[in-house]
Amino acid sequence: MTLLRQTIGTGEGAIGAAILSLLILIAVFASVLCPGDPLNIAGPPLTPPFTQGSLPLGTDSLGRDLLAGVVHGTRTSLSVGLAAAAAAMAFGVCIGLAAGFSGGIVDEALMRLVDAFQIVPGFLLALAFVSVAGSSAHVIVIAIALGAWAGPARLMRAQVLSIREREYVAAARVIGAGPAEIVFKEILPNALPPVLSLSAIIVAAAILTESALSFLGLSDPNVVTWGSMMSEGRNVLRSATWLSIFPGLALLTTVIGIYLLGEGVTKAIGRGRPGS
Amino acid sequence: MRMNLLSRRRLLQSGSALLAMVAMPALPRAKEKASGGRLIVAADSEPKNLNPAIVASNGVFFIASKVIEPLAEAAFNGEGGLARRLATSWEGSEDGLSVTFKLREGVKWHDGRAFTSADVAYSAMNVWKPLQNLGRIVFANLEAVDTPDANTAVFRFSRPTPLQLIRNALPVVSSVIPKHVFDGTDIASNPANTKLIGTGPFRFAEYKPGEFYRLTRNEDYWGKGEPKLDEIIFRVLPDRAGAASALEAEEIHLAAFSAVPLSDLDRISKVPGIEVISKGYEALTYQLVVEINHRRKELADLKVRQAIAHAINKKFVIDTIFLGHATASTGPVPKSASEFYDPDVTTYPFDTAKANALLDEAGYAKGSNGVRFSLKLRPAPYFNETKQFGYYLRQALAAIGIDATLVNADAAAHQKAVYTDHDFDLAVGPPVFRGDPAISTTILVQSGIPAGVPFSNQGGYENKALDALVAKASETIDAEARTEIYRQFQKIVTADLPLINVAEWGFITVARNTVLNVADNPRWAVSNWADTALRS
């Protein structure tokens, strides 16, 4: 809680948090803001934006409401991005914790595994995984997480390596605490904050990867995503630019918001620990 | 994201390489002639096997038809709709058991050897009949090809085979390849499948994967004063938006097969120096079809199929998805095939209320959530229009209480899912009508086709009367009687709806106005371009 307060205390954190909470509100209330299936044909095709009150952002080449697409796309992008980042963080933290705490051969083996994942570009990995496993929402989440967990794992391990030699850990050991108690009570809480500041970058990257995948036609076609909207808009880029611009702006705003929040978290952590 | 940058850089590199080639001084030989020049064309695919005798598809013909010629080509004003190429005449026997072709004299292969009837016999017996996707059907009963002399080939059939079918199929199935190159080798892996050797107006010079194909003028071509061009370059431009900008920048002269998206035509037609041409695809009609898996008990019910047909607003499909560049279908034979087309069939006007009533009658009442039942819908990924129609069909079905889940896949996965694994309820497919219903249309509704044959009836539909009709047509020699059978065929298909024909379309060519003689035959994009020229 103090971390949150400190984050909002920084300028970047405040702006980022504001943008993000607005987006989350839009995602949660998408069905209230734009009721009905956003893939429904709502008007004449290629209606320009700001010409019709009922279709403020106009329509795409099939006549689907662009505003509804952007609003419902927020839900897809945020949920896939957050879920993928959460999965990547959870897995990465566990692997890093195990590697750092066990040391020896387990550490070696796990770190070579991390190396193997880090040398493959995350996007290519996701692309290959989705092409093989099909394009449903949970497959996409796993695919994105596959390319993103190696970073937090490495950082976590470095943190654990430094913390496990600290006096308070040694003290806990002397008192007779078991390994599980040491890991979860002493090491994890102290190792986590820097890894958390990495999470903002991972969420932003996950949202971008999700958009790129759906831009290439590898998303679930039954839900709207910003990437698939841009991909369809690309065909008429010269005559109906707005089809690509609005989802593009939404994506840009989201990623900027998350980056700013991440920046705020990093600053707050730095302030909270003078001298470290 | 990074991939994108890389491919763009590569594109720029290959683009500038081509520009440098354009800027090179023209060959002195070209200056002496009135004609000549280098035509640069956009190509959107690079087929692995470029041999049209084996792979009779438009993607292959687009490039290969300039090098390897068929016995006859489709024509707007020719006798029987055909123009002579390697054959100068064809005649069927009374009993339908043989067809005699007289072959053109004085034709040479690109490697200097003479073209003879032995080449035709070899192509027919060793390639068209056993290996070719369409030849398998057309030449199923071909027993032997006799060669009484170097310029006569007599096709002998074990069962009566209609000359009408052979004639209609000639442009597509009869690409002749040289016996002396293929004989005694493994035909499927012969290097001449990619480095083509033919008799056509252009020789195959060079292929750089991902960049271009280069064809050069054949000095020894049999056509007098042809070809008119010195060189054709097929520049690989898989990005559709790229073709339009390349045309505007005068980097290419021509983009065929709707390489410029339909939605961009309106804008590009106003650019000076660029022409939008919708002619030249009359014999290459694509059909937008809803394929149905009759193994699903709901879809095995005719009332449900009728309801789906009534739920589709063809006018919306034509106006919004095809932007007017298509025609609404009435049945399995397109209007452009005037020889066979029968307008007097069962039709299904757009009527949501009637569709809902039919479904109620069939016993599939709406549930509390407004849904009667759920379906898996697989739109083919080959065209933007098939994908868009998939989106539309999902909404159209929702309006009558059928909840369709779209499943997208790449081309290979889509074909496997639909035609091998039967893992679909409805699919959107673009089959091609190739001049005669027996070539690639009856196979869409016939029963007894093994799993794995693409673009065939894999929906488990079986109709004995329809099968009998198709079998009868395949042995009816008299053209009049055979045409009548196919009129019956259209009536049965539209009444029983083994599949739903929605629309039919040809493609659009966009060319700079310096290209002459564009679209002068009904298969122009896949014909030999011997008379195509550039205005200086």
Side-chain angles (χ1 to χ4, degrees):
Chain A
M1 274 305 108
T2 45
L3 182 63
L4 187 67
R5 209 176 307 126
Q6 281 169 339
T7 304
I8 292 174
T10 63
E12 295 95 331
I15 300 173
I19 293 177
L20 210 60
S21 18
L22 181 69
L23 287 170
I24 290 174
L25 282 178
I26 291 178
V28 170
F29 294 106
S31 312
V32 181
L33 291 169
C34 298
D37 188 344
L39 291 170
N40 252 336
I41 290 150
L46 295 178
T47 308
F50 316 122
T51 52
Q52 271 192 35
S54 59
L55 302 164
L57 296 188
T59 59
D60 71 359
S61 50
L62 273 185
R64 293 172 291 200
D65 184 358
L66 211 63
L67 179 68
V70 171
V71 165
H72 285 259
T74 313
R75 184 180 278 185
T76 320
S77 280
L78 282 185
S79 58
V80 170
L82 289 173
M89 292 295 291
F91 190 61
V93 163
C94 289
I95 295 288
L97 205 56
F101 190 72
S102 325
I105 188 143
V106 178
D107 183 24
E108 277 297 316
L110 288 175
M111 281 303 108
R112 294 302 80 77
L113 185 70
V114 169
D115 287 347
F117 273 88
Q118 269 195 321
I119 53 170
V120 185
F123 184 63
L124 285 187
L125 203 64
L127 206 60
F129 191 76
V130 175
S131 321
V132 173
S135 56
S136 59
H138 56 271
V139 170
I140 290 171
V141 168
I142 296 173
I144 297 171
L146 267 185
W149 66 273
R154 205 161 262 283
L155 185 61
M156 190 68 195
R157 172 178 172 270
Q159 285 290 315
V160 173
L161 282 184
S162 116
I163 290 174
R164 74 169 186 191
E165 303 303 331
R166 303 257 167 104
E167 275 112 14
Y168 60 84
V169 177
R173 208 170 276 140
V174 170
I175 295 169
E181 206 182 337
I182 294 177
V183 168
F184 291 108
K185 275 201 169 154
E186 304 296 334
I187 297 183
L188 188 61
N190 291 299
L192 213 48
V195 183
L196 276 183
S197 64
L198 192 65
S199 66
I201 297 171
I202 293 180
V203 173
I207 289 177
L208 284 175
T209 308
E210 191 274 333
S211 292
L213 283 175
S214 46
F215 184 79
L216 294 175
L218 288 168
S219 63
D220 183 351
N222 300 289
V223 295
V224 198
T225 70
W226 293 334
S228 59
M229 291 173 77
M230 281 187 270
S231 162
E232 281 186 45
R234 194 181 66 125
N235 285 324
V236 284
L237 193 58
R238 300 284 293 274
S239 40
T241 328
W242 70 88
L243 293 189
S244 312
I245 284 183
F246 289 120
L249 280 178
L251 184 61
L252 184 77
T253 315
T254 311
V255 172
I256 286 182
I258 293 170
Y259 265 120
L260 286 176
L261 187 68
E263 195 74 8
V265 172
T266 314
K267 270 197 180 172
I269 291 174
R271 255 182 229 168
R273 281 201 202 159
S276 70
Chain B
M1 293 284 127
R2 182 165 300 160
M3 265 176 60
N4 241 332
L5 273 175
L6 265 179
S7 73
R8 187 158 301 163
R9 186 180 308 152
R10 249 184 69 198
L11 202 74
L12 279 172
Q13 275 170 354
S14 56
S16 49
L18 274 156
L19 271 179
M21 289 170 58
V22 177
M24 276 191 314
L27 301 166
R29 182 167 45 76
K31 272 188 186 157
E32 289 155 24
K33 282 195 217 76
S35 55
R38 172 190 288 132
L39 179 72
I40 305 175
V41 184
D44 66 348
S45 69
E46 299 169 83
K48 280 200 187 73
N49 187 335
L50 205 54
N51 188 339
I54 301 176
V55 188
S57 77
N58 290 332
V60 168
F61 282 133
F62 186 44
I63 296 161
S65 61
K66 285 75 191 161
V67 182
I68 292 180
E69 289 184 298
L71 293 175
E73 182 56 271
F76 283 128
N77 306 312
E79 169 203 344
L82 289 176
R84 301 177 178 92
R85 289 286 195 263
L86 289 176
T88 52
S89 74
W90 38 88
E91 207 174 314
S93 65
E94 286 281 314
D95 56 7
L97 290 173
S98 76
V99 179
T100 306
F101 290 94
K102 284 287 175 198
L103 304 178
R104 193 174 289 280
E105 294 179 30
V107 176
K108 279 209 173 83
W109 292 102
H110 293 159
D111 60 5
R113 301 271 285 260
F115 159 80
T116 69
S117 55
D119 295 310
V120 176
Y122 178 82
S123 302
M125 292 308 296
N126 295 287
V127 187
W128 303 343
K129 179 183 169 175
L131 301 177
Q132 191 193 86
N133 49 337
L134 302 175
R136 279 172 212 266
I137 303 159
V138 176
F139 294 117
N141 297 320
L142 181 65
E143 216 169 32
V145 178
D146 298 343
T147 51
D149 62 59
N151 296 305
T152 310
V154 184
F155 284 49
R156 300 206 171 282
F157 296 92
S158 58
R159 303 179 75 106
T161 299
L163 181 66
Q164 185 187 31
L165 166 64
I166 301 291
R167 259 197 346 236
N168 287 335
L170 276 181
V172 188
V173 298
S174 71
S175 304
V176 186
I177 55 171
K179 181 183 181 188
H180 62 271
V181 173
F182 284 88
D183 200 13
T185 68
D186 176 21
I187 296 172
S189 65
N190 194 302
N193 287 333
T194 45
K195 197 153 183 3
L196 305 173
I197 298 170
T199 58
F202 295 93
R203 296 165 190 265
F204 191 86
E206 197 184 350
Y207 166 44
K208 287 227 160 138
E211 292 181 36
F212 62 88
Y213 294 85
R214 187 163 65 90
L215 311 182
T216 56
R217 181 189 170 80
N218 174 13
E219 297 294 340
D220 297 326
Y221 188 58
W222 53 263
K224 236 176 144 21
E226 289 176 336
K228 301 214 187 297
L229 295 165
D230 288 325
E231 223 172 50
I232 303 176
I233 297 212
F234 289 91
R235 184 174 153 189
V236 178
L237 280 178
D239 184 16
R240 289 176 148 235
S245 350
L247 268 165
E248 286 176 81
E250 300 191 49
E251 285 171 19
I252 59 172
H253 296 109
L254 188 135
F257 283 111
S258 299
V260 176
L262 298 179
S263 49
D264 220 11
L265 289 179
D266 208 30
R267 183 188 65 81
I268 208 165
S269 66
K270 298 190 179 93
V271 176
I274 289 183
E275 276 181 89
V276 172
I277 303 152
S278 59
K279 268 181 68 179
Y281 297 93
E282 289 77 0
L284 307 174
T285 305
Y286 279 68
Q287 299 168 294
L288 186 71
V289 164
V290 181
E291 296 166 300
I292 296 169
N293 195 341
H294 297 258
R295 295 176 189 88
R296 259 303 282 263
K297 88 173 164 12
E298 293 91 343
L299 296 173
D301 187 333
L302 176 61
K303 289 208 171 95
V304 174
R305 301 200 295 273
Q306 288 171 332
I308 294 174
H310 278 299
I312 297 169
N313 184 354
K314 289 178 182 165
K315 190 173 167 357
F316 178 88
V317 174
I318 304 295
D319 292 348
T320 306
I321 298 179
F322 288 96
L323 301 169
H325 299 283
T327 314
S329 290
T330 54
V333 172
K335 291 195 179 80
S336 59
S338 48
E339 187 182 1
F340 297 102
Y341 176 69
D342 186 353
D344 187 20
V345 294
T346 319
T347 54
Y348 299 89
F350 175 52
D351 188 342
T352 313
K354 187 164 179 194
N356 273 312
L358 278 164
L359 287 169
D360 288 337
E361 254 176 68
Y364 298 105
K366 276 189 185 172
S368 54
N369 53 355
V371 175
R372 300 172 193 272
F373 54 88
S374 297
L375 291 175
K376 184 187 272 190
L377 169 61
R378 285 185 174 270
Y382 322 119
F383 299 103
N384 203 20
E385 289 75 30
T386 51
K387 285 187 279 184
Q388 285 206 317
F389 178 70
Y391 285 121
Y392 166 71
L393 185 58
R394 178 174 182 262
Q395 302 308 324
L397 291 173
I400 57 168
I402 300 176
D403 171 45
T405 306
L406 285 170
V407 183
N408 278 354
D410 62 26
H414 175 81
Q415 281 190 19
K416 184 167 182 298
V418 175
Y419 301 110
T420 306
D421 300 341
H422 308 147
D423 176 26
F424 71 106
D425 295 318
L426 297 177
V428 179
V432 188
F433 185 86
R434 292 184 163 89
D436 192 290
I439 301 175
S440 57
T441 303
T442 52
I443 194 175
L444 299 172
V445 296
Q446 248 171 299
S447 68
I449 294 159
V453 178
F455 312 111
S456 68
N457 168 20
Q458 294 296 347
Y461 176 74
E462 202 176 336
N463 182 337
K464 291 272 184 297
L466 200 59
D467 286 346
L469 209 57
V470 170
K472 192 172 161 209
S474 71
E475 295 191 356
T476 303
I477 309 304
D478 181 50
E480 199 74 23
R482 188 168 174 269
T483 307
E484 185 48 43
I485 294 178
Y486 282 122
R487 289 178 189 271
Q488 284 298 316
F489 170 80
Q490 292 168 64
K491 289 189 206 303
I492 298 186
V493 170
T494 50
D496 204 33
L497 290 177
L499 42 75
I500 301 169
N501 285 82
V502 179
E504 47 215 41
W505 80 99
F507 290 96
I508 308 286
T509 303
V510 182
R512 302 226 47 110
N513 58 10
T514 49
V515 189
L516 305 176
N517 299 332
V518 177
D520 58 2
N521 78 54
R523 293 177 78 240
W524 184 78
V526 294
S527 68
N528 69 12
W529 291 8
D531 63 351
T532 306
L534 278 172
R535 192 174 59 209
S536 45

